[in-house]
Amino acid sequence: DTGVSQDPRHKITKRGQNVTFRCDPISEHNRLYWYRQTLGQGPEFLTYFQNEAQLEKSRLLSDRFSAERPKGSFSTLEIQRTEQGDSAMYLCASSFNSGAETQYFGPGTRLLVL
Amino acid sequence: QKEVEQNSGPLSVPEGAIASLNCTYSDRVSQSFFWYRQYSGKSPELIMSIYSNGDKEDGRFTAQLNKASQYVSLLIRDSQPSDSATYLCAVNTGGAGSYQLTFGKGTKLSVIP
């Protein structure tokens, strides 16, 4: 049973560029979450999918951010017109609908916007 | 705003001692509580989950929950240098049908050999 995987692990981009991150959850996990973590802070919730449906979105998720999970398997998070304030670690987690809802995190994608 | 508070530390304990990490939360309806360990530059790793008042033990780790006081703690017995990390308290604060976690800022633990 492989864990949550994320790609790329690191991304450096220039301000104004678009970036896309991918997350592959643990197989058979039907719930997938995106969080963002900046230095010295805990992860902050961005959005959550159950299968292909996006059920929750944080107010942190501005209109420059969009997330998809088209077939209920992998998910993508796109940031358009990146800003320096978007520099952070983007974490993906998944869980199985078992009542426990324990979320398991992937290794994260570290984004640096220059 | 729903908050989760932790002492940021650093908390230093000698090897072999008990490390005690504390967390308070503001949302009374929270039902699920988690402790994650995060090494520098790495992603959070689940240590313990707890849902009912009282103690839950797993190896050297014991989680304690007191919903009346809105308090959850983690005890690490026989602390090892490899336990040196940031410990994140996470609470399910989204209410019924929601699964988002709210994290504290974490407590940095240093175990001194």
Side-chain angles (χ1 to χ4, degrees), chain A residues 35 37 48 56 100 102-103 106, chain B residues 36 38 43 46 51 98-99:
Chain A
Y35 292 83
Q37 186 177 25
Y48 142 67
E56 287 188 81
T102 301
Q103 297 180 24
Chain B
Y36 287 84
Q38 187 171 30
S43 64
L46 180 73
Y51 307 98
S98 172
Y99 303 98

Side-chain angles (χ1 to χ4, degrees), chain B residues 2-5 23-33 53 65-72 89-93 102:
Chain B
K2 299 170 182 176
E3 297 181 340
V4 176
E5 301 287 341
C23 173
T24 59
Y25 58 95
S26 64
D27 187 5
R28 287 191 170 274
V29 303
S30 299
Q31 295 296 322
S32 305
F33 307 86
N53 281 329
L65 175 61
N66 184 325
K67 290 185 179 180
S69 300
Q70 297 174 237
Y71 175 89
V72 59
C89 173
V91 179
N92 184 322
T93 57
T102 298

